Amino acid sequence: MKLILLGAPGAGKGTQAETISKELGIPTISTGNMLREAIQNQTPIGLEAKRFMDNGQLVPDDVIIGIVEERVARDDCRNGYILDGVPRTIAQAEALERFGVTIDNVVSIEIEDAVIEKRMSGRRVCGRCGASYHITANPPKTDGVCDSCGSELVIRKDDRPETVRERLEVYHRLTEPLKGFYEARGKLRIVNGNQPIETVHREILTALGKGV
């Protein structure tokens, strides 16, 4: 099973990828982790990526996809993989195809922007120990105070309403068109993300033909 999970920031892709990875016995491949590993291992393409990063430049699509190609060729990907963070654009999806990185299914976790804004703006993080909370879904015992260490809870910059709206705008403009790209190839599966995590998980497995 070679899988891409699509969805706006805050749609729950990371949570679902972690569960699916364990259930199907396939790795989740994160763009950030791949870049760090390739640079650390000083692979030729990792060194090329480092050169761009050291100059404060974005790593070009072909270099990113080359690192993906390098990673999916490893033994732990023989039974499949979940791509996390790539492709983000149609240009990257086209580059994946050029490099021969195959995809079986693309699951889009659909959730309304207003729900995502409410979900993400309710997040709180401990400034000292990093513990995570949510003002409605997982509130601390004392408002604004970490249960674990008693430090003040803060709103991360990424979770501020204005930042969330900016990230959603970028998603709709650059990444959402991938739905049409993969639908034309018969690989797109749509799942309603505005449901409990367990329900979304079951629907994803059903969409992948792995449901019970």
Side-chain angles (χ1 to χ4, degrees):
M1 177 66 68
K2 297 165 184 177
L3 175 65
I4 292 171
L5 290 181
L6 286 181
K13 299 185 297 295
T15 300
Q16 294 299 335
E18 186 178 341
T19 309
I20 294 166
S21 172
K22 290 175 183 173
E23 191 149 342
L24 300 184
I26 56 177
T28 296
I29 298 174
S30 155
T31 308
N33 289 344
M34 275 187 297
L35 272 172
R36 284 187 289 273
E37 190 174 339
I39 291 168
Q40 185 179 345
N41 292 338
Q42 297 192 331
T43 68
I45 204 156
L47 293 174
E48 189 177 356
K50 185 176 187 298
R51 181 169 56 83
F52 285 102
M53 293 166 74
D54 286 348
N55 290 327
Q57 299 172 294
L58 289 174
V59 180
D61 284 349
D62 279 0
V63 176
I64 293 281
I65 303 306
I67 288 174
V68 174
E69 181 191 29
E70 212 172 61
R71 177 66 184 85
V72 301
R74 285 162 50 176
D75 284 349
D76 64 338
C77 292
R78 279 183 301 180
N79 294 323
Y81 43 80
I82 303 168
L83 292 184
D84 175 16
V86 64
R88 289 188 185 275
T89 63
I90 286 179
Q92 287 186 354
E94 290 171 340
L96 280 177
E97 291 187 342
R98 283 200 308 276
F99 276 71
V101 178
T102 56
I103 300 299
D104 298 321
N105 290 285
V106 178
V107 174
S108 179
I109 302 173
E110 302 283 309
I111 187 164
E112 297 88 349
D113 284 4
V115 174
I116 285 176
E117 286 188 39
K118 185 176 179 182
R119 180 185 289 181
M120 294 181 74
S121 62
R123 290 176 178 172
R124 299 291 183 272
V125 178
C126 176
R128 179 183 293 175
C129 74
S132 296
Y133 300 88
H134 192 281
I135 57 175
T136 55
N138 179 35
K141 292 173 184 172
T142 303
D143 189 33
V145 178
C146 177
D147 294 347
S148 300
C149 70
S151 298
E152 181 184 4
L153 300 180
V154 298
I155 303 174
R156 297 183 315 161
K157 182 184 176 185
D158 276 359
D159 295 332
R160 295 187 182 280
E162 60 274 18
T163 308
V164 173
R165 283 192 286 272
E166 286 172 12
R167 293 175 68 197
L168 286 169
E169 189 276 327
V170 170
Y171 168 76
H172 290 308
R173 178 164 46 88
L174 296 179
T175 305
E176 195 167 33
L178 286 169
K179 287 160 59 178
F181 180 88
Y182 285 113
E183 184 176 28
R185 287 154 175 75
K187 297 180 179 181
L188 183 69
R189 314 285 180 260
I190 301 288
V191 170
N192 176 10
N194 195 17
Q195 305 178 86
I197 290 171
E198 297 79 8
T199 305
V200 174
H201 177 63
R202 285 197 303 272
E203 290 198 3
I204 290 174
L205 290 180
T206 300
L208 297 175
K210 302 287 183 180
V212 179

